[in-house]
Amino acid sequence: MRLLLHIAVLCSIVFVGCTTDKRTAALIRHAEDIAIEHPDSALRVIRSIDPRALRGDHDIAHYQLVYSESLYYNIIDSDND
C-alpha cells in the first residue's frame, strides 16, 4: 500500500513537471487562432512567451509551429527551419 502511494505521488510530480502551465498553452492557442487575420498580433503574442517555460515535446513543437506560421504570415524570412 505504501509503495502504491509513493508511485502515485511520483507520477503526479512527473506529470505536473512535464506540462506547460495553462496560461502559456492558452497564449499559444490564441496566437494560432489569430495568425491569419491578425499576423502582427499573433507574432507579438507568441514572442511574449518564454520558450524556457514550455514543458513536453508536444507543447514545444506547437510553439515552434505557431511561431513559424506567425513569421510566414508577416512575410518575415527565417533562415533556420
Side-chain angles (χ1 to χ4, degrees), residues 5-20:
L5 179 64
H6 286 283
I7 292 172
V9 170
L10 182 62
C11 288
S12 298
I13 291 170
V14 169
F15 178 73
V16 171
C18 295
T19 58
T20 302

Side-chain angles (χ1 to χ4, degrees), residues 16 28 30 35 37 43 47 49 51 54 64 69-70 74 81:
V16 171
I28 296 170
H30 177 64
E37 292 182 18
L43 189 57
R47 282 184 171 164
I49 298 169
L54 301 171
Q64 291 172 339
E69 287 176 341
S70 298
N74 279 286
D81 289 341

